[in-house]
């Protein structure tokens, strides 16, 4: 479904109307998007969804029918013409900084920063959160599943269990960023260049006069790329049919039962039949814990397909990312603002996140003011400055003056970047249970702002 300017919560628009009515809509505001708390069992989160978010921002236009519909809402009955005139010419004109897709990150670290006229920045909140929260959630789950696979490829097979087909398409994208080798969803493959993979359903076998004929006709069509599904009736019998039939499938798939015992049995049958090169793939309600146990037991499994648990991030289905105002400039005065609600505190000012690396390992992250002193006591950070040795600045410019910067990294680049950045993290971060804490500190300048009780001139 194409997103429109009305893909937003009503209060974003009522606030925009208020800003226009008060003449404040062009005040320069900075909002930051971050996650307050880590979901259960997560050692880190994997940023995803940036490019779809930028696609949305780039195309933001209010059509005449959008404006007419808003004018008919009772809530806007008292709103004057200037607001609707403003919407007719609406374009995003601000700046956006963001971490690269595939970046591991931690609570309270901004992964996206918007600096723009107040009304423009306000409108983005709902869609940005929906896009980035969802895809980051799925990429983070995919990372766990891939880590559990210990080098065995993992395919995303969850479209039919996703919360709608749009969710399925973007879940496939996020899973690929998170390290999955591909997807079963053809449209995601076409749209994003993700490798696609599939076998056959049990219905193919059930529809054939016999299991042997089902296997032979499929192999006649797909040759060396054939993957045969073994568990429609009896896995042992199906494996024996394959072994004695003269067929040479690329792989066989088991979708149910005791996958450890069945994979061992099938491997033995195939090897005896001269099919040592035929791979064994498994699926069927898998998650990272089940995959971990199969790998630890030495199951002769060559690849995994994961559906429901991945595409819905089943154990942590909602990520609590937020988008909060941290700074506003009006009449030449900059105010760094801070929300102090219990359990929902924010930190003031435009911020950067530095990842500190020593001897090839990330040792901690430091959150500081974007234009403040560096964590290594170096010079202040101008927007285009290079970080000092030993620090990686995670937020990078992606939009300037409403213009998207060219040549965004590909999804393949994002996957490689995730692997590179994960390799920097301390040992133990591949654990699925009780992951270690990673230190995230604040600079002294930021801490002084926080201590100053909320609003700093």
């Amino acid at each position: 479904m194409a997103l429109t300017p009305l893909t937003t919560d009503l209060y974003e628009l009522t606030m925009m109307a208020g800003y226009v009515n008060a003449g404040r809509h062009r005040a320069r505001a900075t909002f930051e998007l971050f996650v307050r708390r880590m979901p259960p069992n997560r050692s880190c989160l994997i940023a995803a969804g940036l490019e779809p978010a930028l696609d949305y921002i780039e195309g933001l236009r209010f059509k005449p029918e959008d404006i007419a519909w808003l004018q008919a809402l009772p809530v806007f009955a008292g709103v004057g013409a200037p607001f609707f005139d403003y919407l007719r010419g609406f374009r995003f004109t601000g700046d956006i900084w963001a971490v690269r897709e595939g970046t591991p990150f931690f609570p309270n670290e901004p992964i996206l920063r918007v600096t723009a006229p107040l009304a423009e920045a306000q409108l983005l909140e709902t869609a940005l959160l929906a896009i980035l929260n969802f895809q980051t959630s799925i990429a983070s789950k995919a990372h766990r599943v891939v880590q559990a696979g210990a080098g065995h490829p993992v395919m995303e097979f969850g479209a039919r269990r996703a919360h709608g087909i749009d969710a399925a398409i973007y879940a496939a994208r996020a899973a690929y960023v998170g390290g999955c080798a591909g997807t079963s969803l053809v449209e995601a493959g076409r749209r994003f260049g993700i490798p696609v993979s599939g076998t056959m359903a049990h219905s193919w076998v059930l529809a054939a006069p016999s299991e042997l004929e089902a296997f032979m006709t499929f192999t006649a069509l797909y040759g060396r790329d054939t993957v045969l599904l073994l568990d429609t009736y009896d896995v042992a019998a199906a494996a024996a049919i394959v072994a004695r039939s003269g067929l040479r499938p690329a792989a066989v798939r088991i979708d149910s039962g005791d996958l450890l015992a069945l994979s061992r049995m099938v491997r033995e049958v195939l090897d005896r039949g001269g099919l040592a090169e035929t791979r064994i793939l498994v699926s069927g309600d898998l998650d990272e814990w089940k995959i971990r146990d199969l790998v630890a037991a030495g199951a002769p499994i060559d690849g995994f397909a994961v559906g429901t648990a991945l595409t819905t991030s089943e154990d942590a289905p909602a990520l609590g990312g937020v988008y909060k105002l941290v700074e506003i400039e009006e009449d030449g005065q900059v105010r760094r603002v801070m929300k102090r609600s219990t359990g929902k505190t924010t930190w003031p000012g435009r911020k950067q996140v530095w990842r500190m690396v020593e001897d090839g390992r990330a040792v901690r992250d430091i959150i500081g003011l974007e234009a403040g002193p560096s964590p290594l006591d170096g010079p202040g950070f101008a927007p285009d400055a290079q970080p000092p040795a030993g620090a990686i600045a995670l937020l990078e410019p992606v939009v300037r003056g409403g213009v998207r910067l060219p040549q965004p990294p590909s999804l393949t680049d994002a996957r490689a970047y995730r692997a590179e950045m994960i390799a920097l993290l301390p040992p133990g971060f591949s654990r699925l249970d009780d992951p270690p804490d990673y230190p995230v500190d604040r600079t002294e300048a930021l801490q002084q702002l926080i201590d100053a009780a909320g609003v700093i001139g």
Side-chain angles (χ1 to χ4, degrees):
M1 182 186 73
L3 300 184
T4 77
L6 303 188
T7 313
T8 192
D9 289 311
L10 179 62
Y11 77 173
E12 314 291 7
L13 291 161
T14 58
M15 285 188 286
M16 288 175 68
Y19 296 145
V20 172
N21 186 64
R24 301 183 63 219
H25 57 294
R26 301 194 189 282
R28 195 79 172 164
T30 295
F31 287 76
E32 292 179 343
L33 193 153
F34 61 95
V35 174
R36 283 196 175 98
R37 288 173 287 277
M38 195 74 78
N41 290 317
R42 301 298 190 264
S43 59
C44 63
L45 295 168
I46 305 296
L50 176 61
E51 289 306 312
L54 297 183
D55 289 343
Y56 156 73
I57 294 168
E58 194 172 38
L60 271 178
R61 305 287 187 275
F62 284 86
K63 297 179 180 178
E65 55 267 33
D66 299 330
I67 295 171
W69 190 84
L70 289 174
Q71 287 175 312
L73 289 180
V75 70
F76 292 114
V79 172
F83 173 58
F84 300 107
D85 291 340
Y86 169 73
L87 296 185
R88 289 184 182 93
F90 184 92
R91 303 288 187 275
F92 181 76
T93 64
D95 302 332
I96 300 177
W97 288 56
V99 303
R100 289 177 58 178
E101 292 196 80
T103 300
F105 71 95
F106 303 91
N108 295 310
E109 297 183 343
I111 62 169
L112 182 137
R113 189 179 76 221
V114 175
T115 300
L118 180 56
E120 296 178 24
Q122 188 73 66
L123 179 64
L124 304 185
E125 178 177 13
T126 303
L128 284 182
L129 286 172
I131 294 168
L132 294 172
N133 275 341
F134 175 68
Q135 292 196 47
T136 295
S137 179
I138 302 304
S140 303
K141 181 70 169 182
H143 166 69
R144 286 171 58 78
V145 173
V146 169
Q147 292 288 97
H152 298 83
V154 176
M155 301 295 295
E156 182 277 317
F157 269 31
R160 64 191 60 194
R161 302 291 172 78
H163 298 160
I165 200 64
D166 286 321
I169 291 169
Y170 285 102
R173 182 190 186 280
Y176 191 59
V177 171
C180 285
T183 181
S184 64
L185 188 57
V186 178
E187 174 59 20
R190 182 187 71 85
R191 190 177 300 188
F192 303 121
I194 302 171
V196 293
S197 177
T199 56
M200 57 170 65
H202 297 101
S203 55
W204 174 267
V205 180
L206 292 167
S210 69
E211 197 165 30
L212 174 60
E213 186 166 339
F215 291 166
M216 292 184 68
T217 53
F218 206 76
T219 303
L221 187 59
Y222 295 107
R224 294 182 179 274
D225 294 326
T226 301
V227 180
L228 300 175
L229 182 59
L230 300 185
D231 71 320
T232 303
Y233 304 117
D234 178 84
V235 174
I241 289 171
V242 174
R244 66 173 180 259
S245 66
L247 300 175
R248 292 292 183 266
V252 295
R253 178 165 68 99
I254 309 168
D255 189 53
S256 61
D258 183 338
L259 296 178
L260 176 60
L262 290 173
S263 64
R264 286 172 172 168
M265 179 272 294
V266 169
R267 184 75 274 158
E268 183 180 347
V269 170
L270 294 178
D271 289 351
R272 284 203 314 264
L275 297 174
E277 294 185 0
T278 296
R279 295 172 293 123
I280 297 175
L281 311 177
V282 298
S283 55
D285 298 321
L286 293 175
D287 59 23
E288 59 265 49
W289 291 282
K290 293 176 183 177
I291 291 173
R292 176 195 61 187
D293 292 345
L294 287 167
V295 170
I301 293 169
D302 299 289
F304 301 91
V306 184
T308 305
L310 172 54
T311 305
T312 65
S313 186
E314 193 170 37
D315 66 315
L319 185 63
V322 294
Y323 177 85
K324 297 300 179 185
L325 180 68
V326 297
E327 185 175 291
I328 187 164
E329 181 180 355
E330 293 184 278
D331 302 322
Q333 298 294 314
V334 174
R335 290 187 296 121
R336 292 161 174 160
V337 299
M338 175 178 173
K339 181 177 174 181
R340 303 184 68 195
S341 309
T342 302
K344 294 188 175 183
T345 301
T346 61
W347 297 344
R350 285 180 297 148
K351 292 176 284 295
Q352 176 61 275
V353 182
W354 294 281
R355 184 147 295 163
M356 310 303 294
V357 179
E358 298 176 3
D359 298 323
R361 287 286 185 185
V363 294
R364 68 189 186 281
D365 285 1
I366 300 179
I367 306 173
L369 297 175
E370 185 268 342
S374 83
L376 297 182
D377 299 320
F381 274 69
D384 293 317
Q386 294 297 316
I392 301 171
L394 298 186
L395 288 160
E396 302 172 344
V398 292
V399 175
R400 279 207 183 101
V403 178
R404 194 166 170 176
L405 299 184
Q407 297 179 335
S410 68
L411 286 189
T412 300
D413 293 334
R415 294 175 80 248
Y417 186 69
R418 176 201 64 86
E420 175 188 335
M421 295 298 280
I422 285 293
L424 289 178
L425 294 177
F429 266 75
S430 60
R431 290 208 308 259
L432 299 183
D433 304 305
D434 300 319
D437 291 329
Y438 180 82
V440 177
D441 301 324
R442 299 185 288 261
T443 62
E444 183 178 350
L446 175 57
Q447 188 60 55
Q448 287 173 351
L449 282 181
I450 293 170
D451 293 342
V455 180
I456 311 299

